[in-house]
Amino acid sequence: MNPMLRKMSPSATKMIRLDHSHALVTFHKYEHKTPPQTKRAIVNTVSAALEIHAQLEEEIFYPAIRELDPDGEVISKSVPEHDEMRRLIAKLRATEPPDAGFDDTFMELMRDVIHHVADEETVLLPAAERLLGEERLGDLGARMTKRRLELAMPRAGEIAINTARAMPTSTVLMTAGAVVAGGFLVRRALSSRL
């Protein structure tokens, strides 16, 4: 494994926890009164994140746990939960936000994911930390980072557009202001050195 990638990557369990946090924060941007185009962007953002997350777990993380704990109950539940999540995402992609049932399907996805996250955070991740240890989790984190980049790269434009569309206008304006102010401060700092 590339030593630089290993240093820059979080451990596998930290990465999974970060993914969980990202999904939960994105879920909570969704409200029944949210405009349809924003609902679609939120659904697309969380769907892409969940699909990549599930694939990383299934390809890299779960097999590492199974090597040491072949009868692990949480993992045996996790893959069918991922399949149900994929079914709900496909249903959401086949409908539009104004359609009957769109909100209910999204809320069902949210409930299922929150339940799944609770199982992993309270049982699977602490067990993985005990079973695998810091060094192995670091190696798995680097492999997961590399694979995440491979999975996300073809979808980078879609992910960026949906993330921007899912943000409230005030957040976009505040971010733009921070970038402009940061650029000004950097330029000023550089000119004072000359």
Side-chain angles (χ1 to χ4, degrees):
M1 182 60 54
N2 179 329
M4 183 61 86
L5 182 63
R6 171 73 165 79
K7 279 186 174 183
M8 292 174 32
S9 300
S11 73
T13 51
K14 284 181 184 170
M15 181 183 296
I16 290 168
R17 286 184 177 105
L18 287 168
D19 284 353
H20 291 166
S21 296
H22 174 255
L24 296 176
V25 166
T26 306
F27 276 134
H28 290 294
K29 292 179 181 180
Y30 191 100
E31 296 178 8
H32 289 286
K33 66 181 182 187
T34 301
Q37 68 275 11
T38 305
K39 283 183 179 184
R40 173 54 69 197
I42 292 168
V43 167
N44 290 347
T45 299
V46 79
S47 295
L50 290 171
E51 289 167 332
I52 290 170
H53 173 81
Q55 192 165 345
L56 291 172
E57 285 185 332
E58 291 171 8
E59 288 180 6
I60 298 168
F61 187 67
Y62 293 169
I65 299 291
R66 278 192 191 105
E67 286 176 14
L68 300 173
D69 185 18
D71 300 322
E73 181 184 327
V74 173
I75 291 178
S76 65
K77 288 175 36 181
S78 292
V79 174
E81 289 173 352
H82 285 176
D83 292 340
E84 175 62 9
M85 174 199 70
R86 289 181 183 105
R87 184 190 72 76
L88 292 169
I89 288 170
K91 186 175 176 181
L92 286 165
R93 286 194 173 126
T95 57
E96 292 301 322
D99 294 349
F102 189 87
D103 288 341
D104 291 340
T105 302
F106 188 74
M107 294 302 146
E108 183 179 355
L109 175 65
M110 187 189 315
R111 279 190 303 276
D112 288 357
V113 169
I114 289 171
H115 173 79
H116 178 78
V117 165
D119 282 348
E120 286 194 349
E121 297 258 348
T122 59
V123 180
L124 181 64
L125 297 182
E129 290 165 345
R130 280 191 312 276
L131 291 168
L132 296 171
E134 203 172 307
E135 179 80 19
R136 179 82 169 115
L137 288 171
D139 291 340
L140 290 171
R143 284 182 54 208
M144 290 168 70
T145 297
K146 181 177 183 235
R147 183 66 175 133
R148 177 185 302 279
L149 293 172
E150 293 168 357
L151 294 170
M153 196 58 66
R155 302 171 82 169
E158 165 202 343
I159 291 168
I161 288 168
N162 285 313
T163 300
R165 286 182 180 157
M167 277 195 239
T169 305
S170 60
T171 303
V172 172
L173 293 174
M174 200 165 42
T175 302
V179 168
V180 169
F184 173 76
L185 292 173
V186 167
R187 193 170 351 132
R188 189 170 153 193
L190 290 175
S191 67
S192 68
R193 286 186 171 174
L194 299 175

